[in-house]
């Protein structure tokens, strides 16, 4: 697998992620919902100023720190992926790494620029792209757009449950985006197949060393 393939995967994920986010921002009011498949899949527009799946981090200052950290991680990520390609790691690992990098870059774009290029989304007005009066925020202060909602299972905690006894619950409650999904798929796949991914690389290294030793001995 070549480095251009990594870039291609990143670009494809970014195009899908950003196209959906821009469409949501410019066509839906905040908290609007489109039911795709009743009872288990909906497009539900929300925004968050924190991490993946709606988690938050330290207010306005935390927002700046998180955005700068994303920027640093993406820059380092591209350099690290180039190193992995050069070292001929397995295709599976490189694809997963590309997905994680694409997801980080997708949410980084929101955080860096959305506050500058969109007006605010609210319950009664759809956001404008490049509004005359400027955006709802400044550089580094954009909110991340989320929309994918899978309330697959609804029910109530049993009365004997140690917490939230008798209260209702929804699984899966978090609302996320394509970038979050790319990160999750990449991370989970690496965790599940890490032995296979790295074993192949170690076998290649061992075979290469053996070839070099044979060449030297001749």
């Amino acid at each position: 697998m070549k480095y251009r393939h990594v870039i291609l995967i990143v670009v494809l994920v970014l195009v899908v992620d950003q196209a959906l986010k821009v469409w949501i921002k410019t066509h839906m009011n905040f908290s609007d919902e489109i039911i795709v498949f009743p009872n288990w899949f909906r497009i539900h527009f929300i925004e968050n100023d924190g991490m993946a799946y709606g988690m938050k981090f330290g207010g306005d200052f935390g927002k700046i720190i998180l955005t700068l950290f994303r920027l640093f991680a993406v820059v380092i990520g591209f350099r690290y992926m180039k190193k992995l390609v050069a070292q001929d790691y397995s295709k599976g690992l490189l694809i997963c790494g590309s997905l994680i990098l694409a997801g980080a870059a997708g949410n980084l774009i929101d955080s860096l620029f959305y506050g500058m290029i969109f007006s605010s989304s609210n319950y009664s007005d759809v956001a404008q792209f490049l509004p005359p009066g400027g955006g709802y925020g400044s550089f580094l202060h954009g909110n991340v757009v989320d929309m994918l909602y899978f309330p697959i299972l609804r029910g109530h905690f049993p009365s004997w449950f140690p917490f939230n006894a008798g209260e209702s619950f929804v699984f899966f409650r978090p609302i996320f985006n394509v970038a979050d999904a790319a990160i999750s798929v990449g991370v989970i796949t690496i965790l599940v197949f890490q032995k296979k991914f790295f074993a192949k690389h170690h076998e290649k290294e061992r075979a290469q060393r053996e070839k070099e030793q044979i060449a030297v001995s001749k």
Side-chain angles (χ1 to χ4, degrees):
M1 185 172 176
K2 300 184 182 299
Y3 188 62
R4 65 172 179 267
H5 297 142
V6 172
I7 300 299
L8 179 61
I9 293 172
V10 172
V11 170
L12 288 175
V13 173
L14 284 178
V15 167
V16 174
D17 177 65
Q18 290 299 311
L20 183 55
K21 287 174 176 176
V22 171
W23 188 90
I24 293 292
K25 281 287 291 182
T26 56
H27 288 80
M28 296 178 68
N29 295 333
F30 186 82
S31 200
D32 274 358
E33 186 172 87
I34 300 172
I35 297 177
V36 182
F37 293 106
N39 301 324
W40 69 273
F41 178 36
R42 304 176 183 186
I43 300 295
H44 187 100
F45 173 32
I46 65 168
E47 294 179 296
N48 77 80
D49 57 1
M51 296 177 285
Y53 300 103
M55 294 182 286
K56 296 188 176 183
F57 176 72
D60 189 59
F61 179 72
K63 170 68 175 176
I64 296 175
I65 296 298
L66 179 60
T67 302
L68 291 175
F69 174 77
R70 281 178 174 152
L71 179 59
F72 175 77
V74 168
V75 172
I76 295 300
F78 274 106
R79 297 185 63 180
Y80 187 62
M81 287 300 298
K82 195 169 186 178
K83 180 179 179 181
L84 293 181
V85 171
Q87 294 179 352
D88 198 26
Y89 273 84
S90 70
K91 184 183 294 185
L93 179 64
L94 295 177
I95 291 173
C96 290
S98 301
L99 290 174
I100 296 170
L101 185 56
N107 286 334
L108 175 64
I109 291 173
D110 296 31
S111 298
L112 288 176
F113 304 116
Y114 273 30
M116 302 168 61
I117 64 175
F118 289 108
S119 61
S120 179
S121 296
N122 56 53
Y123 294 99
S124 57
D125 297 308
V126 174
Q128 287 184 292
F129 179 66
L130 298 178
Y136 64 82
S138 57
F139 184 60
L140 301 178
H141 286 85
N143 293 330
V144 176
V145 175
D146 293 323
M147 78 295 292
L148 303 177
Y149 182 35
F150 292 87
I152 297 172
L153 179 63
R154 296 175 181 270
H156 291 79
F157 290 103
S159 57
W160 49 264
F161 218 61
F163 55 88
N164 299 330
E167 295 184 10
S168 61
F169 71 86
V170 176
F171 180 85
F172 181 69
R173 184 180 292 274
I175 301 172
F176 57 100
N177 57 44
V178 173
D180 297 332
I183 294 172
S184 297
V185 169
V187 170
I188 292 172
T189 304
I190 289 175
L191 291 175
V192 172
F193 296 103
Q194 58 179 316
K195 289 185 178 179
K196 181 178 180 181
F197 289 160
F198 291 102
K200 286 185 177 180
H201 180 69
H202 294 325
E203 288 176 4
K204 290 178 182 178
E205 286 187 329
R206 184 165 55 250
Q208 182 62 32
R209 285 196 299 268
E210 290 175 354
K211 288 181 180 179
E212 291 174 354
Q213 290 174 355
I214 292 172
V216 170
S217 62
K218 291 180 178 180

